[in-house]
Amino acid sequence: MALRALGSLALVCLVASCDGETRSDGSGGSAGSGGTAGSGGTAGSGGTAGSSGAGGSSGATCWHPAKNVWVTVTPHPGDAGIVSFDWSTTGKVTASAKNELTIDDCPANSACSANPRKLTLDAPLLDFVAPVGAFVSVHAVEHAGWNSSRTLAIRNVPTWNGQPNPVASHDRFHLLAADGELKHPDAPFEVTATLVPCPGGGSGKLYALSFAPPGKPSVTVPYGQIASVDLAGQKWQASVVRSYEANAADYPAPYAWWFQGVE
């Protein structure tokens, strides 16, 4: 949680100088950094501060709010004192609610003890509920640090430990998500980021994210919306969560997205 708070604060400071709102129109006293500084004097209106700030006189930026995809695994699967991890398991979904599920990787036909882990997801517009009783494989990767990244894959499996899946027998993805990474280790498609112009030549960098199976046409998913996508032999609800990079900012990496499988 400390990394999350620090990262969000860092990006806000880089974009808006930490002392006022960013204006989309660049007009009035708040065109520089907002508040009292924008109303006059040397720091706000006119001069260098007004024209070059993130919401400067041109009124054209690529800025959009910093949003993330977060994945929490409890108990934590990493080594003691190490935040980064690469964890995978197969098991039965024993409980699920919106954007959370519990999976037990001890098969009913074995002598092991119950070993539940809870996954909690946090992503804009995502409303995911896993099918209780289904057998699924889970692969979660977290790279900690200043510019952290994470990926998650939840996939239905037809059989587990010799037992048929009691809910669904087909092999399909329930969920794919990535934050800070373009290349997802489990996705059946590739992701491409294309730099697109800022409105009016404003500051920052804006990207369009496209998704395509190898050798197939790509599909561009718009930022901040839910799109219906038919890709890699499966139907999805998909959303691009982040595709913006502030000037001189290296946190967070400008890519975040999720794909939820639908019947």
Side-chain angles (χ1 to χ4, degrees):
M1 295 300 294
L3 284 173
R4 179 178 178 179
L6 177 61
S8 298
L9 178 61
L11 181 58
V12 172
C13 290
L14 285 166
V15 173
S17 300
C18 285
D19 59 357
E21 65 176 357
T22 301
R23 290 288 298 269
S24 60
D25 58 2
S27 62
S30 60
S33 59
T36 56
S39 62
T42 59
S45 61
T48 302
S51 60
S52 62
S57 60
S58 69
T61 73
C62 286
W63 182 83
H64 60 62
K67 300 178 181 180
N68 297 81
V69 175
W70 300 102
V71 180
T72 303
V73 183
T74 309
H76 191 278
D79 294 334
I82 300 177
V83 177
S84 299
F85 62 84
D86 187 334
W87 173 73
S88 59
T89 193
T90 300
K92 178 180 178 179
V93 178
T94 59
S96 186
K98 179 180 177 179
N99 295 340
E100 64 179 48
L101 68 149
T102 301
I103 180 173
D104 188 347
D105 61 6
C106 175
N109 59 347
S110 68
C112 59
S113 301
N115 185 35
R117 287 188 189 267
K118 183 177 181 180
L119 278 76
T120 304
L121 314 173
D122 184 1
L125 303 179
L126 180 64
D127 187 356
F128 172 70
V129 178
V132 175
F135 298 161
V136 299
S137 66
V138 177
H139 185 201
V141 181
E142 172 89 19
H143 296 292
W146 170 248
N147 205 351
S148 63
S149 65
R150 63 205 59 87
T151 59
L152 174 68
I154 303 175
R155 186 170 187 166
N156 194 75
V157 294
T159 63
W160 175 44
N161 204 44
Q163 301 295 307
N165 190 323
V167 176
S169 61
H170 49 282
D171 184 355
R172 60 183 293 273
F173 285 99
H174 291 297
L175 184 70
L176 290 165
D179 190 301
E181 296 281 358
L182 271 182
K183 183 176 176 58
H184 194 296
D186 304 291
F189 48 72
E190 299 171 345
V191 188
T192 302
T194 303
L195 189 65
V196 296
C198 291
S203 61
K205 293 180 180 179
L206 190 65
Y207 298 89
L209 299 190
S210 301
F211 304 80
K216 301 292 184 179
S218 64
V219 175
T220 300
V221 176
Y223 158 76
Q225 305 175 36
I226 297 178
S228 296
V229 177
D230 194 346
L231 197 66
Q234 189 172 335
K235 295 184 182 300
W236 313 81
Q237 294 289 303
S239 184
V240 170
V241 173
R242 190 174 68 253
S243 58
Y244 161 79
E245 183 177 23
N247 279 344
D250 59 359
Y251 181 90
Y255 323 115
W257 53 268
W258 57 259
F259 270 58
Q260 180 179 346
V262 297
E263 295 294 343

